[in-house]
Amino acid sequence: MRIRPLEPRLINQIAAGEVVERPASVLKELLENSLDAASTRIEIDIEDGGKRLIRVRDNGHRIHKDDLALALSRHATSKISSMEDLERVASLGFRGEALPSIASVSRLQLASRYHEADGGWVVHNDGSDRVNEASPAAHPPGTTVDV
């Protein structure tokens, strides 16, 4: 068999196998993202042991509306732009690092609002490579991930 590049969807699902072993793994990744976003309040909702719903809402650093869809794409982060940055990472992860993997095997909604803004923005992903554009949403300051 010849060597060939993998399709992006397959790459995401392989990565998801490393990140998303079970619902508890998803929750761990989302909690680490909230902690790294300097959240002082984190709310968690779980339904059916995480098989039906995992929701993590925090009051940490928000995601800009123009970056919401990008946060669901692989290899996109606000914390690293050079090799030196990579060597100095001193966090649990980066908000968005695991999101593409989680989104590739679930239905995911990502909403965020700046503290000083009048409203928030939301994007949806249905497990495909397609992410809709951000649309306005009623949302408290901070970020919510529904899986």
Side-chain angles (χ1 to χ4, degrees), residues 20 22-31 33 45-57 72 98-111 123-125 127 144-147:
V20 187
R22 57 194 183 283
S25 302
V26 172
L27 180 58
K28 172 197 164 289
E29 293 291 338
L30 298 178
L31 285 172
N33 287 347
D45 294 309
I46 304 280
E47 290 181 14
D48 193 20
K51 294 177 187 172
R52 207 170 132 77
L53 173 72
I54 299 172
R55 175 181 296 129
V56 176
R57 174 174 284 154
L72 298 181
L99 290 178
S101 296
I102 295 168
S104 74
V105 294
S106 68
R107 288 182 308 275
L108 187 142
Q109 176 178 290
L110 177 61
V123 293
H124 303 271
N125 179 281
T144 301
V145 181
D146 287 323
V147 179

Side-chain angles (χ1 to χ4, degrees), residues 26-113:
V26 172
L27 180 58
K28 172 197 164 289
E29 293 291 338
L30 298 178
L31 285 172
E32 287 177 351
N33 287 347
S34 291
L35 293 171
D36 282 339
S39 301
T40 59
R41 180 176 173 85
I42 302 171
E43 299 173 18
I44 301 168
D45 294 309
I46 304 280
E47 290 181 14
D48 193 20
K51 294 177 187 172
R52 207 170 132 77
L53 173 72
I54 299 172
R55 175 181 296 129
V56 176
R57 174 174 284 154
D58 66 52
N59 67 347
H61 301 301
R62 74 293 168 251
I63 303 171
H64 190 278
K65 79 169 186 134
D66 295 335
D67 295 343
L68 283 169
L70 190 57
L72 298 181
S73 64
R74 292 188 43 81
H75 310 298
T77 180
S78 63
K79 291 189 177 181
I80 297 174
S81 60
S82 69
M83 186 57 114
E84 292 79 27
D85 292 341
L86 182 60
E87 292 169 353
R88 288 191 302 258
V89 170
S91 64
L92 297 170
F94 340 112
R95 191 187 290 279
E97 176 187 56
L99 290 178
S101 296
I102 295 168
S104 74
V105 294
S106 68
R107 288 182 308 275
L108 187 142
Q109 176 178 290
L110 177 61
S112 197
R113 173 182 160 199

